[in-house]
Structure formats: structure tokens, C-alpha cells
């Protein structure tokens, strides 16, 4: 076949052309022009397209790209077009380095993309923390923190029973007499 719009020639199965004509009144898409478009989109995104991925879902075909960092990526066209193609290997390396610097070990994903699950190197406890908190050092181990608070309070003959009437107050029991105070 020769495409009447771009004049490229290619082999097609007749039944495929017939089915495409029954589904859509648009001109038959030229595979050569489509591939050139994919090459240009990759170039605009800062990537190098080097092939089609073997995995295909029903709607979107994935392609293989070479990223500026040197890693290979498998992404859909819409991800490349929209700029949503970040290299997961580089992200993981960065997060591991930040965790190590903060005294943590990255052990898994979190509830959403802002969180990851970390293990504290010092105590071994595990907690979900935002990556921004790890980066800025604004996190702590809740278990150790509460243990420290309990130790300090027991030395002062106090025990926390519940939250207080105000947001930052607590309901305490005075251990020597049993009275409860907010």
C-alpha cells in the first residue's frame, strides 16, 4: 500500500485495512510517520527511543527508551508526551542515599507516592515517613519517643492516660496519690 497523505509505502493485511475503515473515517495511520512522531516526542522529552516493548496492554503500547542517566526505561507514549518518565532506578538510588544519611534504611513503598517505609538503624523500628521529612531530618521513631516520654514520666511519678481537653494537653495520673489531672 501507499499512503495517500505522506506517500510512504508499507505492507498491510487487507483485512486490517478493511476493519480500520469500518471503525474510523480518518485516513489509515502510517506506521512510518507514527514511528517518526515517536522519535521526535522522545527527543523533545530528552530520551532516545530504541524499540518497542514486548509487553502490551489493550490500549497503550509501551516503548523502550534510553534516559540521559544511562538507564533504560519502558514507558507508554502518553507518559513520555506528558513528561512523566522519571527514571525509577535513579529515584531509588537518591532515596536510599538520603535514608542512609538520615540513619534509616529504605525497606519499601508507602501508602502513597510521598511516603516510603523506613527502618531506623539505631533501634530497628519501622515507620512510614514522607521522603521530604527524611530529606529535611524532621522525623522521629514514635515507639522510642513514647518510651522515652514514659521513662521520664515514671521518674516523676506520672502516667499518661489519654489526650487532654485541649489539643496539646494530656490526661495524667499522679502515681503516688492516684489523682487524675489535665
Amino acid at each position: 500500500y501507499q499512503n495517500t497523505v505522506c506517500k510512504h509505502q508499507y505492507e498491510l493485511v487487507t483485512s486490517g485495512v478493511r476493519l480500520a475503515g469500518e471503525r474510523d473515517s480518518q485516513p489509515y495511520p502510517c506506521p512510518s510517520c507514527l514511528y517518526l512522531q515517536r522519535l521526535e516526542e522522545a527527543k523533545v522529552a530528552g530520551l532516545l527511543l530504541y524499540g518497542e516493548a514486548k509487553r502490551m496492554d489493550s490500549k497503550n503500547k509501551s516503548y523502550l527508551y534510553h534516559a540521559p542517566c544511562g538507564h533504560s526505561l519502558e514507558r507508554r507514549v502518553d507518559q513520555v508526551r506528558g513528561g512523566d518518565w522519571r527514571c525509577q532506578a535513579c529515584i531509588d538510588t537518591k532515596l536510599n542515599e538520603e535514608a542512609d544519611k538520615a540513619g534509616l534504611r529504605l525497606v519499601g513503598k508507602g501508602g502513597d507516592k510521598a511516603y516510603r517505609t523506613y527502618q531506623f538503624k539505631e533501634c530497628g523500628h519501622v515507620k512510614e515517613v514522607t521522603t521530604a521529612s527524611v530529606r529535611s531530618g524532621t522525623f522521629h521513631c514514635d515507639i522510642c519517643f513514647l518510651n522515652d516520654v514514659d521513662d521520664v514520666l515514671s521518674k516523676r511519678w506520672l502516667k499518661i492516660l489519654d489526650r487532654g481537653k485541649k489539643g496539646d494537653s494530656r490526661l495524667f495520673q499522679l502515681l503516688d496519690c492516684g489523682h487524675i489531672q489535665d
Side-chain angles (χ1 to χ4, degrees), residues 1 12-29:
Y1 289 90
L12 296 170
V13 178
T14 307
S15 61
V17 174
R18 188 177 305 119
L19 284 173
E22 290 172 3
R23 282 183 280 195
D24 197 356
S25 62
Q26 297 294 317
Y28 194 88

Side-chain angles (χ1 to χ4, degrees), residues 19-180:
L19 284 173
E22 290 172 3
R23 282 183 280 195
D24 197 356
S25 62
Q26 297 294 317
Y28 194 88
C30 171
S32 300
C33 290
L34 189 62
Y35 193 73
L36 291 172
Q37 181 184 349
R38 301 285 178 260
L39 285 170
E40 186 58 33
E41 290 169 349
K43 184 179 174 184
V44 167
L47 301 170
L48 175 66
L49 173 66
Y50 67 89
E52 290 184 16
K54 292 185 183 190
R55 179 174 48 121
M56 290 178 57
D57 62 23
S58 60
K59 291 182 180 180
N60 296 306
K61 186 186 293 187
S62 292
Y63 291 89
L64 300 172
Y65 299 92
H66 182 77
C69 61
H71 291 110
S72 291
L73 309 172
E74 183 178 321
R75 296 291 186 271
R76 296 184 320 267
V77 172
D78 62 311
Q79 291 173 315
V80 171
R81 220 181 260 147
D84 185 24
W85 59 265
R86 298 184 314 159
C87 176
Q88 193 59 49
C90 290
I91 291 169
D92 290 344
T93 299
K94 179 184 176 197
L95 293 176
N96 278 318
E97 288 170 356
E98 291 171 351
D100 190 46
K101 196 183 294 185
L104 302 170
R105 189 171 69 84
L106 181 61
V107 293
K109 292 187 175 193
D112 66 34
K113 67 180 182 177
Y115 286 83
R116 296 290 187 279
T117 303
Y118 296 94
Q119 182 177 30
F120 291 82
K121 289 181 179 178
E122 192 173 308
C123 63
H125 295 123
V126 176
K127 179 182 177 183
E128 254 188 44
V129 182
T130 64
T131 55
S133 293
V134 171
R135 202 170 291 125
S136 64
T138 56
F139 62 91
H140 64 269
C141 175
D142 293 337
I143 296 169
C144 292
F145 176 76
L146 292 174
N147 288 342
D148 290 346
V149 168
D150 286 342
D151 288 346
V152 169
L153 292 175
S154 67
K155 289 177 185 173
R156 295 189 177 160
W157 293 87
L158 295 168
K159 178 181 176 184
I160 295 178
L161 297 176
D162 202 357
R163 291 192 174 271
K165 292 178 182 174
K166 295 182 181 175
D168 59 346
S169 68
R170 299 289 178 263
L171 196 61
F172 289 98
Q173 181 180 21
L174 292 103
L175 296 176
D176 57 346
C177 64
H179 291 114
I180 296 174

